[in-house]
Amino acid sequence: HFTHLASMAVERYRYDAERERRATHDTLTGLANRVALQIFASNLALDSGRAGLPHSLAILDLDHFKLHNDTLGQRASDRLLAGAAQRLQQQRCGGELRARFGGDQFVVVMTGDPDQARTRIEEGLRAFAEPIDLGDARVVLSISAGVVAWQPSTASLDDALFQAIAAVEVAK
């Protein structure tokens, strides 16, 4: 009887963990999603040890993604997004969190000032110079980035995102 109860408890734990992962991660890329980004930002603002540290927030926007989608099709574009996310994960860019923000945009939250963050982002984006192999096509991605200073204890995530989106538009 005890073995059966233990087995049920383990199965329930696995089910809950999978359910939480699905709620907080993008199914296509495996990166954190907006829900996880919001949770991370809230926890960061409440963490007295880290909330006072300077942070930077970067938005990375895949240039010409609509053109890739229109010419290669949605399946290839999905593989392109997944490949971009994989490279972002591998490079880490010094980030504490990498998330798919939506469509063809990604967010990276980093400890440090914007100049340090820009340098780390530039170093991380070098990995995108190599083409992503989609099977029947190889695509080199161009990425525009907007990096802004963010003090989680005094500025909202939405304010930082708004500023970073504006910085991306300037970069384009």
Side-chain angles (χ1 to χ4, degrees):
H1 182 70
F2 176 75
T3 306
H4 179 66
L5 288 176
S7 175
M8 287 176 52
V10 167
E11 187 61 33
R12 177 62 188 213
Y13 174 79
R14 287 183 184 148
Y15 172 79
D16 288 345
E18 178 60 24
R19 195 173 79 189
E20 181 178 338
R21 175 157 178 73
R22 287 183 184 183
T24 59
H25 286 77
D26 180 65
T27 56
L28 178 65
T29 64
L31 294 176
N33 63 18
R34 285 180 182 222
V35 171
L37 178 61
Q38 190 66 51
I39 292 168
F40 179 83
S42 296
N43 289 339
L44 192 59
L46 296 173
D47 184 343
S48 61
R50 294 188 315 162
L53 296 174
H55 280 77
S56 296
L57 183 138
I59 294 219
L60 310 176
D61 187 279
L62 305 183
D63 298 329
H64 315 294
F65 187 75
K66 183 175 179 346
L67 177 64
H68 294 308
N69 194 43
D70 291 346
T71 57
L72 299 171
Q74 187 167 356
R75 281 192 182 169
S77 294
D78 285 351
R79 290 195 311 264
L80 196 59
L81 284 169
Q86 181 181 22
R87 289 193 182 174
L88 188 61
Q89 274 291 79
Q90 289 169 345
Q91 295 305 310
R92 305 291 287 188
C93 298
E96 292 185 34
L97 179 79
R98 285 148 309 287
R100 182 169 179 210
F101 186 58
D104 61 349
Q105 291 183 328
F106 300 91
V107 171
V108 180
V109 178
M110 296 160 276
T111 304
D113 68 57
D115 290 333
Q116 294 170 330
R118 279 186 199 90
T119 300
R120 290 192 308 230
I121 289 291
E122 288 169 5
E123 290 169 357
L125 292 182
R126 288 189 189 124
F128 289 91
E130 290 295 317
I132 294 177
D133 188 358
L134 302 177
D136 54 348
R138 292 171 52 88
V139 176
V140 176
L141 288 174
S142 169
I143 299 174
S144 296
V147 182
V148 297
W150 177 41
Q151 193 67 41
S153 60
T154 59
S156 73
L157 174 63
D158 288 340
D159 289 342
L161 289 168
F162 181 78
Q163 292 172 9
I165 289 168
V168 166
E169 294 306 316
V170 169
K172 285 185 175 249

